[in-house]
């Protein structure tokens, strides 16, 4: 039977509940991670825990569990499901307190973890995206559970028959609503540098590493809106979507309107790397 983890206990999701005074519920006062499992193996565990600790530190919290504790929770959740590919969702909130912004009055953090199958998709044949003003806050490097802007943005994309919104702040591309971005233009690959307006994506960082190892040059430089529309390839990255080509942006076809050759090469390298860790 599939179980979830909540504050030290494993139980069926129907039996799990959280106090209404939890600051996650009242303030959205918490952070999260999404960790992929391929072929039943946790992928980039250390990197995800490190990013969790960075997010927690930025909201004045410590990691409530050791790395070993996190690993054994994940292992147990994976063990009680059948699927080869899963996505582990973990959320840490500041716990229960009076409704007061003061963080020092909070008690124990609330820790919730679940694992869900990664839904198979046909994204590798390319998806449509829209562009939109980056309506989010200034601390996008924190993986905060307060995701209302991203919910609105993904919905706006859906209204236009698209899967992702590519965000523009002051004329420059930041990232997708739930993904990082790479473009290929004038024989060069670009991805925006990591700033507080961009989440430090684990897949992004891995791709940067893979490109470097394979001596494929990459520029971590700002991408203007103009460059975005003139790119001959655009890809987005995330832990569960992996590397997905964007073949249509608003009403414009990108390249030939099909996944590009550079994407194919880079995606093969990524899949090869993944295969060596999750075989
Ligand atoms: N940016 C944002 C805003 C995201 O929500 C995500 C997905 N969690 C990403 C980038 C991609 O990050 P990762 O590769 O770690 O999944």
């Amino acid at each position: 039977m599939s179980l979830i983890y909540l504050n030290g206990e494993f139980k069926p999701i129907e039996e799990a509940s959280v106090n209404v005074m939890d600051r996650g519920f009242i303030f959205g006062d918490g952070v999260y991670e999404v960790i992929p499992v391929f072929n039943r193996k946790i992928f980039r565990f250390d990197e995800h825990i490190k990013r969790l600790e960075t997010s927690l530190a930025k909201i004045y919290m410590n990691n409530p569990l050791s790395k070993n504790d996190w690993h054994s929770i994940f292992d147990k959740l994976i063990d009680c499901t059948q699927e080869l590919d899963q996505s582990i969702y973990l959320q840490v909130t500041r716990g229960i307190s009076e409704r007061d912004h003061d963080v020092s009055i909070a008690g124990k953090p609330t820790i919730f973890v679940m694992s869900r199958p990664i839904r198979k998709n046909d994204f590798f044949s390319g998806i449509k995206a829209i562009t939109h003003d980056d309506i989010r806050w200034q601390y996008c490097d924190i993986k905060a559970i307060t995701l209302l802007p991203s919910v609105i943005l993904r919905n706006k994309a859906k209204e236009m028959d698209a899967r992702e919104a590519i965000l523009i702040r002051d004329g420059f591309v930041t990232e997708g609503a739930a993904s990082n971005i790479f473009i290929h233009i004038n024989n060069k690959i670009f991805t925006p540098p990591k700033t507080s307006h961009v989440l430090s994506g684990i897949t992004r960082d891995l791709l940067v590493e893979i490109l470097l190892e394979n001596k494929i040059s990459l520029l971590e430089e700002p991408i203007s809106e103009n460059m975005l529309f003139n790119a001959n390839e655009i890809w987005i990255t995330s832990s569960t979507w992996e590397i997905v080509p964007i073949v249509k942006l608003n009403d414009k076809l990108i390249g030939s309107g099909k996944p590009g050759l550079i994407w194919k090469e880079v995606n093969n390298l990524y899949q090869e790397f993944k295969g060596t860790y999750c075989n």
Side-chain angles (χ1 to χ4, degrees):
M1 191 205 327
S2 144
L3 301 175
I4 62 93
Y5 171 94
L6 181 64
N7 296 331
E9 290 182 287
F10 292 91
K11 48 176 84 168
I13 197 156
E14 298 77 21
E15 290 170 24
S17 58
V18 177
N19 190 301
V20 288
M21 291 309 285
D22 193 280
R23 296 173 69 99
F25 182 60
I26 297 285
F27 287 125
D29 188 354
V31 297
Y32 75 105
E33 274 297 322
V34 176
I35 303 157
V37 173
F38 296 116
N39 202 21
R40 306 185 71 76
K41 309 238 170 42
I42 304 169
F43 194 49
R44 308 304 272 180
F45 171 80
D46 287 343
E47 289 79 359
H48 281 278
I49 297 298
K50 190 160 171 238
R51 183 172 66 186
L52 172 68
E53 285 175 349
T54 307
S55 293
L56 285 165
K58 287 184 174 173
I59 66 163
Y60 320 104
M61 287 182 76
N62 295 317
N63 186 351
L65 298 178
S66 69
K67 262 170 124 175
N68 275 349
D69 288 343
W70 283 118
H71 211 295
S72 41
I73 293 169
F74 299 170
D75 285 343
K76 173 140 187 188
L77 294 179
I78 296 165
D79 278 352
C80 63
T81 55
Q82 304 293 321
E83 284 79 12
L84 292 177
D85 294 348
Q86 304 177 27
S87 128
I88 293 172
Y89 176 85
L90 78 82
Q91 169 169 321
V92 179
T93 79
R94 209 183 303 275
I96 301 161
S97 78
E98 275 307 306
R99 190 189 174 283
D100 188 314
H101 295 69
D102 181 358
V103 298
S104 71
I105 63 167
K108 278 194 312 214
T110 299
I111 305 168
F112 169 59
V113 193
M114 65 178 173
S115 187
R116 287 283 180 267
I118 294 183
R119 271 175 264 142
K120 288 287 162 221
N121 56 56
D122 57 355
F123 292 168
F124 287 171
S125 53
I127 61 163
K128 180 183 170 187
I130 59 164
T131 52
H132 199 284
D133 233 20
D134 193 341
I135 55 171
R136 304 170 305 163
W137 67 336
Q138 301 280 348
Y139 291 167
C140 299
D141 51 337
I142 303 174
K143 204 159 169 57
I145 60 171
T146 35
L147 286 175
L148 192 50
S150 313
V151 168
I152 292 171
L153 288 161
R154 274 280 171 98
N155 198 63
K156 285 192 183 289
K158 193 171 175 205
E159 282 170 358
M160 303 301 289
D161 236 0
R163 298 303 300 249
E164 181 57 305
I166 304 301
L167 309 179
I168 315 283
R169 199 185 281 257
D170 300 328
F172 289 89
V173 180
T174 52
E175 57 182 335
S179 57
N180 294 108
I181 187 163
F182 290 74
I183 69 166
H184 184 256
I185 182 170
N186 300 334
N187 294 315
K188 292 186 190 118
I189 302 171
F190 287 80
T191 192
K194 294 204 273 185
T195 65
S196 57
H197 293 153
V198 173
L199 182 76
S200 181
I202 306 298
T203 322
R204 174 207 182 274
D205 287 355
L206 175 57
L207 191 52
V208 170
E209 245 176 77
I210 290 174
L211 293 175
L212 200 73
E213 248 165 50
N214 287 277
K215 302 193 169 44
I216 300 173
S217 77
L218 162 82
L219 298 165
E220 290 184 71
E221 286 178 13
I223 298 172
S224 67
E225 193 170 359
N226 187 45
M227 285 166 75
L228 178 70
F229 279 97
N230 285 299
N232 49 302
E233 294 191 25
I234 303 176
W235 332 310
I236 53 169
T237 60
S238 85
S239 291
T240 51
W241 285 18
E242 306 184 274
I243 311 172
V244 174
I246 290 178
V247 292
K248 197 171 181 196
L249 190 60
N250 298 339
D251 288 327
K252 187 178 187 292
L253 287 186
I254 301 303
S256 62
K258 297 218 167 76
L261 290 176
I262 314 290
W263 169 78
K264 270 191 196 132
E265 184 188 342
V266 163
N267 187 49
N268 283 342
L269 290 171
Y270 169 86
Q271 295 298 337
E272 211 174 278
F273 180 94
K274 189 178 104 180
T276 57
Y277 281 84
C278 304
N279 59 11

